[in-house]
Amino acid sequence: MTTSTDAILSLNDVFAGYGKMTILNGTTAHIRKGKITTVIGPNGAGKSTLFKTVFGLLAVRTGKIHFDGRDTSNWSPRQMLDAGMCYVPQGRNIFPELSVRHNLELGGVALADQSGLGDRIEQMMQRFPMLREKAGAQASTLSGGQQKLLEVARGLLLQPKLMLIDEPSIGLSPLMVQEVFAILKDLRDNGVTILLIEQNAKMALQMSDYGLVLEQGQTRIEDTAANILADPRIAELFLGGGLKPAAATAS
């Protein structure tokens, strides 16, 4: 079990929701620094609500959230960006009629110091050669996978300590999903902490370090991804049936 001492993000008994509806019902979790953690659970469990609350899009009603050693329970999204957190929400979130480069430039608007934006864009183009090849093309002409990579690159311009990524594989081909997941592992290996929601829970856990099982707005299990994969109860409920032990160690 992750402890608060090695966590970059901690939620302690957090309640949040929409209007009169409460979705998070005392959620507690500790997200380890420099690791990939995948959040799984049934539809309506509160996974996306968790991300929106952590990022400041929804108010914390009660409970506490700490990010990078500070109480950020009711910070605004702008404050969270400045603190080193970025959020890549579900679906496509680009400016389709603008060029790839202009999309990247707009991603840097949140930077307090704009002087280094050009260098950061150049770094993204080195990391993702496709962005250089398509720099002048309208973002709408990119494939679904290329658009998702553009979103990830735009978030990376802010040099985040933690990335919240919601359902990155939706609408992507199996080959593109593998490429996106390989990029996420590379980011982890370069020190970026990733908190992930993914419809393909089994595949996501196989490349993750830790897993979080959310149900009815509460944390049911917080453990290593390998242990969650090997748990027959979790496999039956959330991962499409039984799982052979060898799969628990897949990279």
Side-chain angles (χ1 to χ4, degrees):
M1 176 68 74
T2 305
T3 65
S4 58
T5 57
D6 55 11
I8 190 171
L9 175 70
S10 294
L11 294 89
N12 294 287
D13 201 27
V14 171
F15 286 74
Y18 308 86
K20 295 181 179 179
M21 184 180 298
T22 299
I23 305 297
L24 299 185
N25 292 288
T27 305
T28 295
H30 304 292
I31 307 306
R32 284 190 67 163
K33 185 177 182 179
K35 305 295 182 182
I36 298 175
T37 300
T38 292
V39 183
I40 68 171
N43 290 337
K47 302 185 295 292
S48 292
T49 301
L50 172 69
F51 276 24
K52 291 175 182 177
T53 304
V54 165
F55 194 64
L57 292 168
L58 288 175
V60 174
R61 294 177 178 175
T62 62
K64 292 291 184 182
I65 297 176
H66 286 83
F67 173 59
D68 201 25
R70 290 181 282 182
D71 184 346
T72 59
S73 300
N74 279 301
W75 282 22
S76 68
R78 177 55 194 251
Q79 287 175 299
M80 298 310 303
L81 282 171
D82 291 343
M85 182 186 297
C86 78
Y87 176 34
V88 182
Q90 186 178 145
R92 298 291 173 260
N93 297 277
I94 59 171
F95 299 95
E97 301 306 315
L98 297 182
S99 71
V100 168
R101 185 175 186 89
H102 285 160
N103 268 269
L104 290 171
E105 290 171 349
L106 285 173
V109 167
L111 290 170
D113 181 4
Q114 296 284 313
S115 62
L117 179 58
D119 289 339
R120 294 193 188 193
I121 290 176
E122 178 61 28
Q123 290 170 9
M124 290 303 103
M125 289 184 172
Q126 288 179 3
R127 181 186 285 269
F128 305 110
M130 177 277 299
L131 296 180
R132 189 185 303 282
E133 295 169 7
K134 303 282 188 177
Q138 282 189 343
S140 60
T141 66
L142 303 182
S143 69
Q146 290 171 337
Q147 290 181 22
K148 181 55 65 176
L149 293 183
L150 174 57
E151 289 181 56
V152 171
R154 199 169 57 190
L156 287 173
L157 283 175
L158 305 178
Q159 297 180 339
K161 300 171 185 175
L162 171 64
M163 295 189 76
L164 311 177
I165 307 179
D166 192 349
E167 300 283 13
S169 76
I170 283 182
L172 304 189
S173 68
L175 187 61
M176 200 70 227
V177 171
Q178 291 182 0
E179 183 173 343
V180 169
F181 278 21
I183 287 169
L184 297 183
K185 288 193 289 186
D186 180 65
L187 295 178
R188 182 269 317 274
D189 293 343
N190 282 280
V192 180
T193 305
I194 296 173
L195 186 58
L196 179 71
I197 299 171
E198 172 52 49
Q199 59 179 348
N200 190 334
K202 186 185 296 185
M203 185 176 179
L205 285 169
Q206 286 172 341
M207 67 102 180
S208 296
D209 303 290
Y210 291 89
L212 191 69
V213 180
L214 201 64
E215 191 174 21
Q216 296 181 336
Q218 295 182 334
T219 303
R220 300 302 186 191
I221 298 175
E222 185 179 2
D223 205 342
T224 66
N227 284 346
I228 290 176
L229 281 165
D231 188 326
R233 300 168 300 165
I234 300 302
E236 188 65 33
L237 288 172
F238 304 120
L239 305 179
L243 194 64
K244 295 179 181 180
T249 59
S251 60

